[in-house]
Amino acid sequence: MRQIDHFLAKPAPSGSSSRTHKVWNPSTGEVQAQVPLGDAALLDTAIETAKEVQPGWAATNPQKRARVMFKFKELIEANMQPLAELLSSEHGKVIDDAKGDVQRGLEVIEYACGIPQVLKGEYTQGAGPGIDVYSMRQPLGIGAGITPFNFPAMIPMWMFGMAIAAGNAFILKPSERDPSVPVRLAELFVEAGAPEGLLQVVHGDKEMVDAILDHTDISAVSFVGSSDIAHYVYKRGVAAGKRVQAMGGAKNHGIVMPDADLDQVVNDLSGAAFGSAGERCMALPVVVPVGEDTAERLKEKLIPAINALRIGVSSDPDAHYGPVVTPEHKARIEGWIDTAEKEGAEIVIDGRGFTLQGHEDGFFVGPTLIDRVTPKMESYQEEIFGPVLQIVRADDFEHAVRLPSEHQYGNGVAIFTRNGHAAREFAHRVNVGMVGINVPIPVPVSYHSFGGWKRSGFGDIDQYGTEGLRFWTKVKKVTQRWPDGTADADNKDAFIIPTMG
């Protein structure tokens, strides 16, 4: 059986954890590899190397750091197909979707290539008599990222791209469910010219997470995962004196106004709700038609569109989506459909028990459409994270604004309308961190930033863009004066708090 090793600059210590985790092939239901689960001793080994290499990297001028990023970008582009195939084999998403995963991470690397420009500080000449003031951004030292299974290329690159370009060393703990692509990214980063030990990959479960959160030499931790764990990571990391950004779950809503182009809405919903088998924190699992007439017209169009979706193995070029990541996750999704049914919702299209001919042991869940869902239902309140679309009917625009605004999650939301005033009003009032106007998956481009509100995000700094630069650096402020040697020794003003008047 294939072994997926840690990516360290020094050998793992003898006597470290011998525990392992299964890595499935979701399309066949077979175990294809195993990954070791590291412990605190293994993390110490990685940190030891990171402490050795980071000062030299921080002292490397930004242009040279940018050149490594440019070379890394070239290597990712040259290896796009094998990276996508490797990603699909462990995650289950189809090849084209896997390429999108890699590409969205690569866009942050492209932004990081401009690090000489974005790292520049501020300068004021003559802030006071003979006094100049300037600031500089400096790296924190060693950062760490704890990433989820659903984007094994994109999210690691979101984190380490900005952190390393800014001058930090980085420890990456990817999901143990699909760990091969993060390791391959680290290999390519060394090939691009990065010093060995600058980017290291440690595998593990909660034991490794806790070791990262408690380690005194790690200055900042970035996390993406479920909200309960995000909250735990945030509290424990902050208690240990770290800077922490922890992105949690989501229950994104798509508001459909009566004037919306329903054919376009159905096309957008099909991809946003069922793409990647719904395993996206920016998926759109709740549609909110405004008014009964809108709801009935939308439902009538959704049913044939959803029934026409093709589910296939991850390598099937004609499949709209593939299997979910593990048998446990398949059971969890189907359990939420059971819950919705027990709560009184109408199961319009039932994806439970779906099997793919020739791949009966694969972890497939058929597309599911559920109507008559209400805000009191647990299946509405919690994240399902599967190919399940729920319809929550809104009486009017005000009701539609309240639904996502009052939900515990506040990651993303979309509104579909031809009415500019309604769209503008919605964008200003809705209590959600990322808003799409006729855009079903409003993930901002790499030179903006990504982050939700409420239980979708803990910490006050977002991912990537200028926010990412802020997270991975600290600002040093310098106030300078060069005296001319004529100071009065008896100057009583020296005892007064200095002003710039």
Side-chain angles (χ1 to χ4, degrees):
M1 181 181 297
R2 183 166 62 95
Q3 176 83 5
I4 304 166
D5 292 325
H6 306 283
F7 187 79
L8 304 173
K10 295 180 179 179
S14 59
S16 59
S17 174
S18 60
R19 297 180 304 122
T20 61
H21 188 275
K22 297 175 182 177
V23 178
W24 299 91
N25 180 331
S27 293
T28 65
E30 298 172 334
V31 176
Q32 61 173 312
Q34 65 179 10
V35 60
L37 300 176
D39 55 14
L42 184 130
L43 179 64
D44 285 339
T45 298
I47 294 293
E48 180 183 340
T49 305
K51 289 172 67 176
E52 293 171 0
V53 74
Q54 189 272 331
W57 178 249
T60 301
N61 68 58
Q63 301 98 299
K64 290 183 179 179
R65 299 204 299 261
R67 288 172 194 149
V68 173
M69 291 294 167
F70 273 112
K71 182 61 178 177
F72 181 57
K73 172 183 179 296
E74 292 175 5
L75 290 171
I76 294 294
E77 290 169 337
N79 287 272
M80 178 67 75
Q81 186 67 28
L83 281 169
E85 291 174 356
L86 182 60
L87 194 159
S88 292
S89 71
E90 293 182 355
H91 177 281
K93 65 176 69 177
V94 297
I95 297 292
D96 284 346
D97 196 27
K99 288 180 178 178
D101 185 335
V102 178
Q103 181 61 39
R104 288 309 296 258
L106 186 59
E107 289 168 6
V108 173
I109 300 301
E110 290 172 341
Y111 180 79
C113 288
I115 198 67
Q117 171 67 21
V118 298
L119 261 184
K120 292 192 301 185
E122 299 172 319
Y123 185 91
T124 299
Q125 182 179 7
I131 295 175
D132 303 326
V133 179
Y134 65 94
S135 65
M136 62 183 81
R137 286 199 171 271
Q138 296 187 326
L140 301 175
I142 301 174
I146 302 167
T147 58
F149 77 86
N150 59 321
F151 285 98
M154 180 182 77
I155 295 178
M157 283 192 277
W158 279 8
M159 295 180 184
F160 74 69
M162 292 304 301
I164 292 176
N168 299 285
F170 199 85
I171 307 296
L172 174 63
K173 194 222 82 74
S175 171
E176 62 274 22
R177 300 179 189 180
D178 48 5
S180 290
V181 166
V183 171
R184 183 63 183 135
L185 292 175
E187 292 171 348
L188 291 173
F189 202 65
V190 172
E191 188 177 336
E196 290 190 16
L198 189 65
L199 172 60
Q200 298 176 84
V201 181
V202 296
H203 303 297
D205 51 11
K206 185 179 183 297
E207 182 177 345
M208 179 59 77
V209 170
D210 287 346
I212 289 171
L213 295 174
D214 296 341
H215 205 291
T216 56
D217 288 317
I218 294 176
S219 299
V221 176
S222 183
F223 171 88
V224 177
S226 68
S227 287
D228 287 345
I229 299 177
H231 193 202
Y232 170 83
V233 166
Y234 181 75
K235 290 192 298 182
R236 185 160 180 159
V238 169
K242 303 186 191 311
R243 184 178 291 183
V244 181
Q245 57 179 190
M247 306 300 171
K251 194 77 172 189
N252 305 323
H253 294 57
I255 312 303
V256 182
M257 297 297 290
D259 67 336
D261 180 342
L262 292 189
D263 290 329
Q264 183 64 54
V265 169
V266 168
N267 184 66
D268 288 345
L269 283 175
S270 297
F274 301 107
S276 196
E279 295 171 318
R280 297 171 176 159
C281 68
M282 288 301 289
L284 216 168
V286 177
V287 60
V288 182
V290 177
E292 285 297 313
D293 178 67
T294 307
E296 291 302 322
R297 289 188 295 119
L298 178 64
K299 182 177 177 180
E300 183 181 355
K301 289 179 176 290
L302 276 172
I303 292 172
I306 294 172
N307 281 328
L309 293 176
R310 177 185 173 103
I311 301 91
V313 296
S314 60
S315 58
D316 182 353
D318 297 321
H320 291 102
Y321 72 85
V324 300
V325 67
T326 63
E328 293 83 7
H329 193 52
K330 171 183 167 70
R332 180 181 180 275
I333 295 165
E334 293 186 338
W336 276 119
I337 302 171
D338 293 342
T339 298
E341 188 173 40
K342 292 173 184 175
E343 291 175 321
E346 176 191 352
I347 310 299
V348 180
I349 300 174
D350 193 346
R352 291 172 292 185
F354 178 91
T355 57
L356 185 67
Q357 186 175 2
H359 296 83
E360 287 79 7
D361 294 329
F363 313 141
F364 297 95
V365 179
T368 299
L369 179 64
I370 306 177
D371 195 7
R372 305 292 175 180
V373 176
T374 69
K376 293 183 179 181
M377 293 181 180
E378 188 182 6
S379 61
Y380 167 77
Q381 296 165 3
E382 300 296 335
E383 184 177 37
I384 296 176
F385 219 61
V388 179
L389 178 61
Q390 296 177 295
I391 300 175
V392 180
R393 300 175 180 228
D395 299 329
D396 52 29
F397 178 78
E398 293 297 327
H399 187 192
V401 174
R402 287 199 309 272
L403 284 168
S405 295
E406 295 174 357
H407 201 280
Q408 65 169 327
Y409 297 116
N411 206 40
V413 69
I415 184 170
F416 301 93
T417 182
R418 293 185 175 97
N419 187 316
H421 173 73
R424 184 177 186 277
E425 186 78 2
F426 181 82
H428 278 260
R429 290 174 53 191
V430 71
N431 185 24
V432 173
M434 292 175 282
V435 181
I437 298 173
N438 298 313
V439 175
I441 304 178
V443 178
V445 292
S446 62
Y447 41 90
H448 283 261
S449 63
F450 178 98
W453 293 355
K454 296 177 284 187
R455 279 180 55 78
S456 292
F458 301 91
D460 58 357
I461 304 181
D462 288 343
Q463 298 266 357
Y464 65 74
T466 55
E467 287 283 281
L469 183 70
R470 285 180 58 210
F471 184 78
W472 296 111
T473 58
K474 53 192 174 185
V475 180
K476 182 177 288 183
K477 287 72 62 177
V478 180
T479 303
Q480 66 177 8
R481 181 180 64 184
W482 299 101
D484 59 7
T486 61
D488 182 355
D490 296 325
N491 184 7
K492 293 183 178 180
D493 289 343
F495 294 88
I496 301 171
I497 185 72
T499 66
M500 297 302 169

